């Protein structure tokens, strides 16, 4: 043990006490790409997003009671958002202060950032959908798609399962990868944790149901604001990635994104989804069935075919991987430029 301690002391003397934030991001993205979300570890220690969700669920049960006036529930929902987001930002600030000045603080920070990125886990979930369709048919695809979408999987045919997987990949490229990166680069760890709190609030209470229409109003609007810039950056990155993906069409991606992104019911999700649709030459969206009923959704890329096959999931994964590699390369080069 003494020899190990001596080695670490010697190594820490060779490492800079601080690294450029872009280089820390590149290391975090590399960690996420290699490790992803280790299921065995999170069976022992709860995922940080699960920990964020616990106070949200508690406050939802205590403050959002039926019978209260909508204005009252809206105010209580805003207080919930302020408390959860503020607490997450405070924890991020405490972590940043803890890591600052320590020889291995940059490594600990890269680990924290990597945990909050979802690039690898999102890719793996969608890959399993395509694999299940090939090996177990429609029922296998429905089983896997149920893990990543909220719509009723029983309403999906083979083509619908494929479209749902690609839509999830495109929309969550912004929410799970680009938005956390943007908030980290601009606001550091406090911004990263605050964004994950905003995103978790929206996923838990930001619905237009009778229960959450008023209580979740502030959460939903804040999520729209937080994702406005990242969603458009995500769309542009997909268009750029199409230039380096053999099976994609970059000009078509740009045209479709600019023409059809605003057709989506979300002010943000349509940008990466339309870019994917154009880059791949496929139609996404359309009518959807949820446990609460059917939603008349619009088609994005309506001039393209909608009868998709598992090979289209492979094409989407290739485009997604290239887009992530572009971000990683930019972070690496930016960090090295500052360091050197």
């Amino acid at each position: 043990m003494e020899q190990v301690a001596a080695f670490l002391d010697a190594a820490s003397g060779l490492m800079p006490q601080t690294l450029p934030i872009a280089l820390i991001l590149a290391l975090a993205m590399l960690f996420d790409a290699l490790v992803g979300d280790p299921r065995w570890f999170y069976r022992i220690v709860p995922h940080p997003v699960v920990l964020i969700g616990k106070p949200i669920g508690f406050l939802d049960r205590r403050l959002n009671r039926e019978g209260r006036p909508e204005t009252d529930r809206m105010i209580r929902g805003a207080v919930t958002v302020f408390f959860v987001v503020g607490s997450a930002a405070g924890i991020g600030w405490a972590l940043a202060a803890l890591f600052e000045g320590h020889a291995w603080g940059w490594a600990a920070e890269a680990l924290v950032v990597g945990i909050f990125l979802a690039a690898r886990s999102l890719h793996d979930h969608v890959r399993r959908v395509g694999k299940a369709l090939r090996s177990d048919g429609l029922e296998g695809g429905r089983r896997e798609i149920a893990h990543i979408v909220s719509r009723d999987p029983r309403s999906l045919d083979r083509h619908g399962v494929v479209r749902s997987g690609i839509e999830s990949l495109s929309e969550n490229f912004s929410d799970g990868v680009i938005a956390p990166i943007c908030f980290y680069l601009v606001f550091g760890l406090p911004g990263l944790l605050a964004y994950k709190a905003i995103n978790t609030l929206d996923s838990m209470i930001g619905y237009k149901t009778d229960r959450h229409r008023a209580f979740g109003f502030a959460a939903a609007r804040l999520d729209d604001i937080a994702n406005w810039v990242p969603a458009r950056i995500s769309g542009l990155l997909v268009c750029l990635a199409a230039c380096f993906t053999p099976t994609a069409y970059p000009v078509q991606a740009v045209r479709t994104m600019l023409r059809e992104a605003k057709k989506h019911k979300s002010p943000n999700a349509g940008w990466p989804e339309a870019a994917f649709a154009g880059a791949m030459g496929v139609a996404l969206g359309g009518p959807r069935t949820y446990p609460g009923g059917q939603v008349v959704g619009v088609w994005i890329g309506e001039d393209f075919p909608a009868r998709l096959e598992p090979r289209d999931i492979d094409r989407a994964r290739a485009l997604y991987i290239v887009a992530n590699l572009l971000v990683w390369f930019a972070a690496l080069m930016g960090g090295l430029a500052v360091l050197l």
Side-chain angles (χ1 to χ4, degrees), residues 17-34:
Q17 288 194 338
T18 60
L19 285 181
I21 191 170
L23 196 54
I24 294 176
L25 172 62
L27 293 173
M29 293 185 70
L30 183 61
F31 170 80
D32 177 54
L34 295 176

Side-chain angles (χ1 to χ4, degrees), residues 5 10 58 64 67 75 90 99 115 121 135 150 170 185 192 202 206 221-222 230 241 244 252 260 282 306 319:
F58 173 78
N64 186 25
I75 293 172
F99 299 153
I115 288 173
S121 62
S135 61
S150 56
S170 64
L185 289 177
L192 173 63
D202 181 66
R221 296 291 79 77
L222 183 58
F244 303 97
Q252 191 170 269
E260 302 194 35
V282 300
L319 182 62

Side-chain angles (χ1 to χ4, degrees), residues 70-157:
E70 285 211 349
T71 301
D72 184 45
R73 295 168 80 174
M74 190 177 294
I75 293 172
R76 290 168 182 264
V79 170
T80 296
V81 169
F82 180 82
F83 173 78
V84 173
V85 175
S87 298
I91 293 172
W93 177 84
L95 289 173
L98 180 65
F99 299 153
E100 187 177 5
H102 289 273
W104 296 97
W106 57 270
E109 185 166 334
L111 178 63
V112 171
V113 176
I115 288 173
F116 281 103
L117 296 179
R120 170 67 183 270
S121 62
L122 176 59
H123 170 273
D124 289 350
H125 278 304
V126 176
R127 179 182 59 82
R128 283 194 287 269
V129 172
K131 183 178 179 182
L133 277 172
R134 287 189 173 98
S135 61
D136 301 325
L138 178 58
E139 289 306 313
R142 286 173 172 173
R143 182 182 63 248
E144 290 298 332
I145 201 66
H147 294 299
I148 56 175
V149 299
S150 56
R151 67 196 68 174
D152 184 2
R154 295 171 299 178
S155 68
L156 298 172
D157 60 8

Side-chain angles (χ1 to χ4, degrees), residues 107-262:
E109 185 166 334
L111 178 63
V112 171
V113 176
I115 288 173
F116 281 103
L117 296 179
R120 170 67 183 270
S121 62
L122 176 59
H123 170 273
D124 289 350
H125 278 304
V126 176
R127 179 182 59 82
R128 283 194 287 269
V129 172
K131 183 178 179 182
L133 277 172
R134 287 189 173 98
S135 61
D136 301 325
L138 178 58
E139 289 306 313
R142 286 173 172 173
R143 182 182 63 248
E144 290 298 332
I145 201 66
H147 294 299
I148 56 175
V149 299
S150 56
R151 67 196 68 174
D152 184 2
R154 295 171 299 178
S155 68
L156 298 172
D157 60 8
R158 179 182 180 88
H159 313 300
V161 170
V162 173
R163 287 197 306 272
S164 298
I166 296 174
E167 290 163 17
S168 179
L169 191 68
S170 64
E171 294 178 14
N172 287 290
F173 176 54
S174 175
D175 294 356
V177 182
I178 301 304
I181 286 174
C182 289
F183 273 79
Y184 173 64
L185 289 177
V186 177
F187 302 110
L189 285 179
L192 173 63
L193 268 68
Y195 173 77
K196 296 305 292 187
I198 293 170
N199 192 242
T200 306
L201 279 159
D202 181 66
S203 67
M204 292 183 66
I205 64 174
Y207 297 103
K208 295 181 179 180
T209 60
D210 290 340
R211 175 171 177 78
H212 289 120
R213 182 173 51 252
F215 187 76
F217 178 81
R221 296 291 79 77
L222 183 58
D223 185 76
D224 287 343
I225 295 169
N227 284 294
W228 198 92
V229 172
R232 285 146 181 83
I233 293 175
S234 300
L236 291 173
L237 281 168
V238 172
C239 295
L240 181 60
C243 298
F244 303 97
T245 308
T247 58
Y249 310 97
V251 175
Q252 191 170 269
V254 174
R255 288 175 177 171
T256 305
M257 181 181 70
L258 295 178
R259 184 179 66 242
E260 302 194 35
K262 294 182 180 179

Side-chain angles (χ1 to χ4, degrees), residues 22-23 26 29 322-336:
L23 196 54
M29 293 185 70
V322 173
N324 278 278
L325 284 173
L326 290 175
V327 178
W328 178 80
F329 184 76
L332 179 64
M333 292 298 100
L336 289 176

Side-chain angles (χ1 to χ4, degrees), residues 30-41:
L30 183 61
F31 170 80
D32 177 54
L34 295 176
V35 179
D37 281 341
R39 296 184 179 183
W40 62 268
F41 181 75

